[in-house]
Amino acid sequence: MGQVIQASEVSEVVTKEFDFSVDKFPLFLPDNQRTPLYGLTRSDTGEIVEGTASKTKQYIPHTTEDIVALAEAASECFDGDIVCDAHFRSGHFIALRPTNTDRREVYNSYDPIWPSIVISAGFDGKAVIARCGYWRDNCLNLAMMSQIAGTKTSIRHNGNMRIHMDSLLLQFKELKSSWDNVYDAAMSMQQKTVKIDDFFNKIFTPPTAEELKQAKKDRKTKNWDNRNTIMKKRIEGERNKILGTSAAIGDSATVWELYNAVQGYFQHDSRKKVGFKSEFDGIIRSANQAEVKSAEKLALELAA
């Protein structure tokens, strides 16, 4: 996932990926009467940008050049080669992570994680959001634990982002400093072991006794059982990969394993919604999933 590049190549890669502009055009009624509202369209396809509400005359959408400036500033957080992902879905998304520096080991050297700076720039009139999350090689998860101190920052769009480059560099540097907090949380989770079913049942409401009796007929119960099976297989496969074994999972797991199982399920395994088919779509969906947020809250509480 993503391209391995030098920081000096970020501008070229992002510009090539977003080789279109998002433009504001007036909206008309069926009788061709102009309204005071505006819509946003892509210059390459002419299609309305989905998920964006109508805008007023005063609204100014951010530009591709603004996104390039943000990506350049974020890339300065890392030395050497970096992995760059760019995605458009009702807004611009950029993810950057190093390939050599800042590597941390959780369980052992076969369970490394890397910092990942993720930029989300929507067209909702709100500030650009940048987060410091982690990329886990073992399961290809890109997770953003928003309840850890310092891992989220808001960047106000004041027109041309490039003229604010100095402040952007400082803001991303401060965001990157939260990487120690992310790693400390991961290590605390790894050191706490709990019953698998106890953890899952606090995130997903288990079926009642009556529903279990009707398990073969009840879709809700089937879905609950299938989801648990998939998440347990995730834990088993990842654990065996780390330990170099082929053992059964048992009834317990570390909180680190359990959080990654829930996050990974929604990023990789859950039934795709219409249009949510790319790898980056899975990252976006997982980051916004209520169950993933609940799993993070529970994991941090248990590891405290």
Side-chain angles (χ1 to χ4, degrees):
M1 181 176 170
Q3 303 178 57
V4 179
I5 60 173
Q6 291 287 321
S8 60
E9 299 174 295
V10 165
S11 176
E12 178 183 352
V13 170
V14 174
T15 300
K16 184 177 180 180
E17 182 67 26
F18 300 134
D19 59 346
F20 57 89
S21 61
V22 174
D23 305 314
K24 186 176 72 172
F25 287 98
L27 298 176
F28 292 82
L29 296 174
D31 61 1
N32 210 33
Q33 180 181 348
R34 182 167 176 164
T35 74
L37 301 176
Y38 291 75
L40 301 180
T41 62
R42 288 179 53 149
S43 63
D44 56 344
T45 63
E47 296 177 349
I48 292 178
V49 178
E50 294 184 7
T52 57
S54 57
K55 308 300 179 185
T56 64
K57 184 178 181 179
Q58 291 72 34
Y59 177 80
I60 300 175
H62 63 259
T63 66
T64 299
E65 180 56 30
D66 291 329
I67 301 303
V68 170
L70 288 165
E72 288 179 359
S75 71
E76 293 298 318
C77 291
F78 309 121
D79 297 322
D81 291 345
I82 58 176
V83 178
C84 177
D85 286 300
H87 183 69
F88 187 88
R89 183 179 183 85
S90 301
H92 297 85
F93 294 86
I94 301 287
L96 300 166
R97 67 178 185 275
T99 59
N100 298 308
T101 59
D102 300 297
R103 181 183 189 274
R104 303 287 180 88
E105 298 172 2
V106 181
Y107 181 81
N108 60 21
S109 61
Y110 294 101
D111 190 19
I113 57 174
W114 313 78
S116 184
I117 301 295
V118 181
I119 302 167
S120 307
F123 294 100
D124 51 7
K126 298 179 181 179
V128 174
I129 300 298
R131 293 179 172 87
C132 180
Y134 68 83
W135 172 268
R136 188 183 183 212
D137 275 354
N138 191 31
C139 53
L140 306 183
N141 286 5
L142 198 171
M144 291 166 275
M145 294 192 289
S146 59
Q147 298 167 56
I148 297 176
T151 57
K152 177 181 176 181
T153 188
S154 298
I155 303 169
R156 187 176 178 184
H157 178 228
N158 291 319
N160 188 345
M161 286 285 191
R162 190 164 294 282
I163 65 176
H164 305 289
M165 185 59 79
D166 288 344
S167 63
L168 287 175
L169 289 169
L170 289 174
Q171 202 163 352
F172 278 111
K173 183 178 180 180
E174 183 177 352
L175 179 66
K176 165 66 182 330
S177 68
S178 69
W179 176 231
D180 287 337
N181 297 341
V182 175
Y183 177 65
D184 290 344
M187 289 301 294
S188 295
M189 291 182 194
Q190 173 58 36
Q191 293 163 8
K192 179 69 174 181
T193 300
V194 298
K195 296 294 185 182
I196 295 173
D197 288 339
D198 289 347
F199 188 95
F200 286 165
N201 288 346
K202 290 181 179 179
I203 306 302
F204 308 96
T205 303
T208 63
E210 184 60 32
E211 287 173 333
L212 286 173
K213 291 180 181 179
Q214 301 294 325
K216 292 183 179 180
K217 301 178 181 179
D218 185 71
R219 178 175 295 182
K220 175 184 173 182
T221 304
K222 287 182 180 179
N223 289 342
W224 178 84
D225 187 57
N226 289 339
R227 180 179 54 236
N228 278 14
T229 298
I230 292 171
M231 292 190 296
K232 288 178 180 179
K233 285 183 177 179
R234 274 198 157 272
I235 294 172
E236 184 177 285
E238 291 161 12
R239 183 188 296 174
N240 285 329
K241 184 178 179 181
I242 291 170
L243 299 177
T245 60
S246 57
I249 186 175
D251 63 355
S252 299
T254 67
V255 175
W256 173 244
E257 290 176 312
L258 290 161
Y259 170 72
N260 278 287
V262 175
Q263 193 277 337
Y265 171 79
F266 284 104
Q267 181 178 331
H268 302 291
D269 303 312
S270 66
R271 187 185 301 274
K272 303 292 189 300
K273 292 183 178 179
V274 176
F276 281 78
K277 296 181 180 180
S278 75
E279 292 183 20
F280 213 113
D281 277 329
I283 294 168
I284 297 170
R285 185 183 180 193
S286 180
N288 294 320
Q289 194 74 30
E291 291 87 349
V292 175
K293 294 177 181 179
S294 295
E296 177 191 346
K297 182 175 184 295
L298 178 59
L300 292 174
E301 290 173 352
L302 291 171

